mmCIF file of all heavy atoms in Angstrom:
data_model
loop_
_atom_site.group_PDB
_atom_site.id
_atom_site.type_symbol
_atom_site.label_atom_id
_atom_site.label_comp_id
_atom_site.label_asym_id
_atom_site.label_seq_id
_atom_site.Cartn_x
_atom_site.Cartn_y
_atom_site.Cartn_z
ATOM 1 N N THR B 36 3.006 1.941 18.916
ATOM 2 C CA THR B 36 2.302 0.746 18.446
ATOM 3 C C THR B 36 2.005 0.845 16.963
ATOM 4 O O THR B 36 1.970 -0.145 16.266
ATOM 5 C CB THR B 36 0.975 0.569 19.208
ATOM 6 O OG1 THR B 36 0.302 1.813 19.164
ATOM 7 C CG2 THR B 36 1.212 0.157 20.633
ATOM 8 N N THR B 37 1.795 2.067 16.457
ATOM 9 C CA THR B 37 1.493 2.241 15.033
ATOM 10 C C THR B 37 2.650 1.744 14.179
ATOM 11 O O THR B 37 2.464 1.015 13.216
ATOM 12 C CB THR B 37 1.265 3.735 14.726
ATOM 13 O OG1 THR B 37 0.406 4.245 15.714
ATOM 14 C CG2 THR B 37 0.703 3.920 13.351
ATOM 15 N N ILE B 38 3.845 2.177 14.588
ATOM 16 C CA ILE B 38 5.021 1.776 13.817
ATOM 17 C C ILE B 38 5.202 0.261 13.869
ATOM 18 O O ILE B 38 5.518 -0.371 12.877
ATOM 19 C CB ILE B 38 6.269 2.519 14.321
ATOM 20 C CG1 ILE B 38 6.133 3.998 13.977
ATOM 21 C CG2 ILE B 38 7.533 1.957 13.711
ATOM 22 C CD1 ILE B 38 7.144 4.886 14.625
ATOM 23 N N CYS B 39 4.947 -0.326 15.041
ATOM 24 C CA CYS B 39 5.074 -1.779 15.153
ATOM 25 C C CYS B 39 4.060 -2.470 14.250
ATOM 26 O O CYS B 39 4.354 -3.461 13.614
ATOM 27 C CB CYS B 39 4.852 -2.220 16.593
ATOM 28 S SG CYS B 39 6.208 -1.733 17.644
ATOM 29 N N ALA B 40 2.848 -1.904 14.212
ATOM 30 C CA ALA B 40 1.828 -2.508 13.366
ATOM 31 C C ALA B 40 2.242 -2.416 11.904
ATOM 32 O O ALA B 40 2.070 -3.352 11.144
ATOM 33 C CB ALA B 40 0.495 -1.794 13.563
ATOM 34 N N ARG B 41 2.835 -1.288 11.515
ATOM 35 C CA ARG B 41 3.283 -1.139 10.133
ATOM 36 C C ARG B 41 4.376 -2.146 9.809
ATOM 37 O O ARG B 41 4.428 -2.688 8.732
ATOM 38 C CB ARG B 41 3.827 0.270 9.910
ATOM 39 C CG ARG B 41 2.754 1.274 9.746
ATOM 40 C CD ARG B 41 3.378 2.563 9.296
ATOM 41 N NE ARG B 41 2.425 3.637 9.476
ATOM 42 C CZ ARG B 41 2.683 4.741 10.136
ATOM 43 N NH1 ARG B 41 3.878 4.926 10.673
ATOM 44 N NH2 ARG B 41 1.779 5.659 10.268
ATOM 45 N N ALA B 42 5.233 -2.383 10.801
ATOM 46 C CA ALA B 42 6.342 -3.295 10.556
ATOM 47 C C ALA B 42 5.841 -4.699 10.268
ATOM 48 O O ALA B 42 6.513 -5.491 9.634
ATOM 49 C CB ALA B 42 7.280 -3.295 11.753
ATOM 50 N N SER B 43 4.607 -4.986 10.744
ATOM 51 C CA SER B 43 4.092 -6.332 10.526
ATOM 52 C C SER B 43 3.504 -6.482 9.124
ATOM 53 O O SER B 43 3.152 -7.574 8.723
ATOM 54 C CB SER B 43 3.024 -6.654 11.564
ATOM 55 O OG SER B 43 1.886 -5.866 11.318
ATOM 56 N N LEU B 44 3.371 -5.381 8.391
ATOM 57 C CA LEU B 44 2.860 -5.489 7.024
ATOM 58 C C LEU B 44 3.838 -6.285 6.163
ATOM 59 O O LEU B 44 5.035 -6.267 6.404
ATOM 60 C CB LEU B 44 2.706 -4.098 6.398
ATOM 61 C CG LEU B 44 1.616 -3.199 6.942
ATOM 62 C CD1 LEU B 44 1.717 -1.837 6.289
ATOM 63 C CD2 LEU B 44 0.259 -3.801 6.705
ATOM 64 N N ARG B 45 3.292 -6.930 5.162
ATOM 65 C CA ARG B 45 4.153 -7.683 4.256
ATOM 66 C C ARG B 45 5.073 -6.706 3.545
ATOM 67 O O ARG B 45 4.665 -5.583 3.248
ATOM 68 C CB ARG B 45 3.258 -8.393 3.238
ATOM 69 C CG ARG B 45 3.860 -9.669 2.697
ATOM 70 C CD ARG B 45 2.844 -10.465 1.980
ATOM 71 N NE ARG B 45 2.304 -9.762 0.813
ATOM 72 C CZ ARG B 45 1.311 -10.235 0.088
ATOM 73 N NH1 ARG B 45 0.739 -11.358 0.391
ATOM 74 N NH2 ARG B 45 0.868 -9.571 -0.963
ATOM 75 N N PRO B 46 6.313 -7.102 3.297
ATOM 76 C CA PRO B 46 7.222 -6.193 2.583
ATOM 77 C C PRO B 46 6.574 -5.709 1.295
ATOM 78 O O PRO B 46 5.962 -6.480 0.571
ATOM 79 C CB PRO B 46 8.425 -7.077 2.275
ATOM 80 C CG PRO B 46 8.363 -8.170 3.248
ATOM 81 C CD PRO B 46 6.919 -8.392 3.591
ATOM 82 N N HIS B 47 6.710 -4.446 1.052
ATOM 83 C CA HIS B 47 5.916 -3.828 0.000
ATOM 84 C C HIS B 47 6.804 -3.135 -1.032
ATOM 85 O O HIS B 47 7.782 -2.492 -0.697
ATOM 86 C CB HIS B 47 4.981 -2.816 0.653
ATOM 87 C CG HIS B 47 4.130 -2.094 -0.320
ATOM 88 N ND1 HIS B 47 3.083 -2.693 -0.963
ATOM 89 C CD2 HIS B 47 4.182 -0.821 -0.762
ATOM 90 C CE1 HIS B 47 2.523 -1.807 -1.769
ATOM 91 N NE2 HIS B 47 3.166 -0.671 -1.667
#
Side-chain angles (χ1 to χ4, degrees):
Chain B
T36 50
T37 313
I38 292 169
C39 289
R41 282 190 195 127
S43 69
L44 290 175
R45 208 167 62 186
H47 179 72

